[in-house]
Amino acid sequence: MFEQQIINGLTLGSVYALIALGYTMVYGIIQLINFAHGEIYMIGAFAGVTMVTMLGQGFFVSITVAMLVCMVLGVVLERVAYRPLRKSTRLAALISAIGASIFLQNAMMLWKGPQPVGFPQVINDAIYHIGPIEVSKVQLIILATSAILMAVLNYIIKYVKIGKAMRAASQDYDTASLMGININRVISFTFAIGSALAAAAGVLVGMYFNSVAPLMGVMAGLKAFCAAVLGGIGSIPGAMLGGIFLGVAETMGIAAGFSTYKDAIAFTLLIIVLLFKPTGLLGKPIQRKV
Amino acid sequence: MLMEVNDLHVSYGAIRALTGISCTLDKGEIVALIGANGAGKTTTLRTISGLIKPAKGSITFKNMDLTKMPPHKIVAAGISQVPEGRRVFPDMSVMENLEMGAYTRKDKGEIKESLNNVFKRFPRLEERKHQLAGTLSGGEQQMLAMGRALMSKPEVMLLDEPSMGLAPMLVKEIFEIIRDINKTGTTIMLVEQNAHMALSIADRAYVLETGEVVLSGQAKELANNEQVRKAYLGED
Ligand SMILES: Nc1ncnc2c1ncn2[C@@H]1O[C@H](COP(=O)(O)OP(=O)(O)OP(=O)(O)O)[C@@H](O)[C@H]1O
Ligand SMILES: [Mg+2]
């Protein structure tokens, strides 16, 4: 039973991790909490549904298109809602982020209505038995897709030129531009990558729960944000760890009979971790930049 | 004339940091900017690099107006900076820091050549190329910051207090390296509080006080100037 919960927790957690990565990468570079990130995830899920229902596509094409759509959306969002406020106070950008979030939710409700929309089955409901554990094919696909995406991200950040530029910019913004790094391009790239990961998460969740809804990004976004803070905001491995940790904790909590409080688990956990480690599990001690 | 700064005015909000700085840089020179804390030396260099936009004034470099260009284009145009306090990327390796220095360049072969030159100049960096920059000593970080700035193969190198916080022996070594970098064809603008050292290697110098140039001339002359000796060379 315990092992079963671990698998279920990992499935949920890897989705939280995918979303959390976007929060943490954007925060790492421009110290902005992108409150509209949950809506990018939601729009990714709808893009996936649209590909499946209206265009009859399978899993692979649907998730790829959803990721591409959200890449563009993320880049546009930054251009329109955040870049003009780059030199203003952080509060101004934060308010703009909340505004963008509300705008996107309502735009989707206008288009699809407020009710949940069914996500047709694209993966057969095969179940595999590994010892005492049951794993559905959808779960396997979620785990594998998340693992692949995170490995690709890791590779980009470590070895690809623009990924290294992202790291440089998150460590020292001004000095990065003294290297000849075009910071605007790095920021756009960061939004593109973060949004693509969120879109993938949206499609995976839609597949898992067979439904998507215009407000699905609110709670998922908030929890993934918790995961990012839990892991240490700004830290990429932290977001991965925080997401997984949160998913497992939530699943365990539900199994232990706290299903009524399932959404509170994330926040409780966040408070407890921050009490003991104010900068998160893998966060660095706070340094004031001079 | 390679670069001309003309009547530069810069403010941080209500604080007026520069109130009309003018200076020039000829090809092949070492020009020093000296002055007390808060005189506006760093602000001048940051404005040249495009990190700060001036309220008034112009910076002309080979027919380009730098005040209208973003920092990354200024690097690509041939001006690199070793910032005050070194500012290496602490969580990146020495090698990655150097790669960032070559960000604007494409030719892999030429980048490799620059890297070899940097390692020749700073053998310690080669020994430590896989070490995280944040764990280097202050002197090694200064070498890394200089090596990194050389990686863009700059025509002009701006150095902001390279001697800060270093032991006297190392200061001498760093200044010798600066002189050598200059000899191999890089024009240098050097900001220093260590006026003595700066004037000893510079061709010309400008003395800044509260955002203005109060004196300028040949470095040798300034080193003998009564006023400069009193205020900046600690003699009475
Ligand atoms: N970010 C900032 N915000 C507000 N004021 C600033 C800022 N940076 C510099 N100043 C002010 O501008 C003036 C010039 O500062 P600057 O750093 O250019 O001096 P400096 O000559 O480099 O001094 P030091 O030798 O101490 O490095 C100072 O009065 C300083 O307080
Ligand atoms: Mg200074």
Side-chain angles (χ1 to χ4, degrees), chain A residues 21 27 50 88-89 126 141 155 172 175 181 184 189 203 208 231 249 276 290:
Chain A
L21 283 165
Y27 187 87
T50 308
S88 332
T89 60
I141 287 186
Y155 180 82
D172 192 333
T175 306
I181 294 171
N184 280 333
F189 181 77
V203 174
Y208 197 31
F276 291 100
V290 226

Side-chain angles (χ1 to χ4, degrees), chain A residues 161 164 172 174 284, chain B residues 46 87 91 96 99 103:
Chain A
K161 196 171 172 186
K164 291 184 201 175
D172 192 333
D174 275 351
K284 293 199 141 189
Chain B
R46 289 171 66 83
R87 305 279 285 260
D91 296 334
E96 287 173 331
E99 283 170 23
Y103 200 80

Side-chain angles (χ1 to χ4, degrees), chain A residues 17-26 34 37-38 40-41 67 70-71 74-75 149 153 157 166 186-202:
Chain A
L18 287 179
I19 312 173
L21 283 165
Y23 281 110
T24 228
M25 286 194 293
V26 164
N34 177 12
H37 191 57
I40 303 263
Y41 153 86
M67 288 171 76
C70 286
M71 265 188 181
V75 171
L149 289 175
L153 174 71
I157 299 285
M166 273 173 74
V186 170
I187 293 173
S188 291
F189 181 77
T190 306
F191 271 85
I193 296 282
S195 303
L197 295 176

Side-chain angles (χ1 to χ4, degrees), chain B residues 26 29-32 34 198-207 215-225 228:
Chain B
D26 283 323
E29 273 189 314
I30 298 183
V31 168
I34 58 177
L199 292 177
S200 76
I201 67 160
D203 299 302
R204 289 186 304 118
Y206 293 84
V207 180
L215 263 178
S216 64
Q218 298 297 314
K220 281 203 190 71
E221 287 168 21
L222 285 176
N224 290 320
N225 179 301
V228 173

Side-chain angles (χ1 to χ4, degrees), chain A residues 142-288:
Chain A
I142 292 176
L143 289 167
T145 309
S146 310
I148 291 168
L149 289 175
M150 286 189 238
V152 170
L153 174 71
N154 208 40
Y155 180 82
I156 292 175
I157 299 285
K158 270 220 166 84
Y159 303 112
V160 178
K161 196 171 172 186
I162 185 100
K164 291 184 201 175
M166 273 173 74
R167 272 193 286 151
S170 74
Q171 286 170 43
D172 192 333
Y173 192 93
D174 275 351
T175 306
S177 54
L178 286 181
M179 299 298 107
I181 294 171
N182 181 346
I183 298 283
N184 280 333
R185 191 175 297 167
V186 170
I187 293 173
S188 291
F189 181 77
T190 306
F191 271 85
I193 296 282
S195 303
L197 295 176
V203 174
L204 294 174
V205 164
M207 255 171 38
Y208 197 31
F209 297 116
N210 297 314
S211 118
V212 303
L215 295 181
M216 69 190 277
V218 177
M219 194 46 84
L222 217 48
K223 284 189 196 165
F225 174 64
C226 282
V229 177
L230 199 77
I233 189 97
S235 157
I236 287 177
M240 297 179 184
L241 181 68
I244 303 281
F245 186 48
L246 200 66
V248 172
E250 196 174 303
T251 314
M252 294 289 180
I254 294 169
F258 295 109
S259 61
T260 332
Y261 303 108
K262 119 176 143 49
D263 290 336
I265 293 172
F267 308 112
T268 313
L269 208 62
L270 180 67
I271 292 168
I272 295 171
V273 169
L274 292 190
L275 273 178
F276 291 100
K277 208 148 180 307
T279 50
L281 295 172
L282 300 182
K284 293 199 141 189
I286 298 163
Q287 291 169 333
R288 279 248 144 255

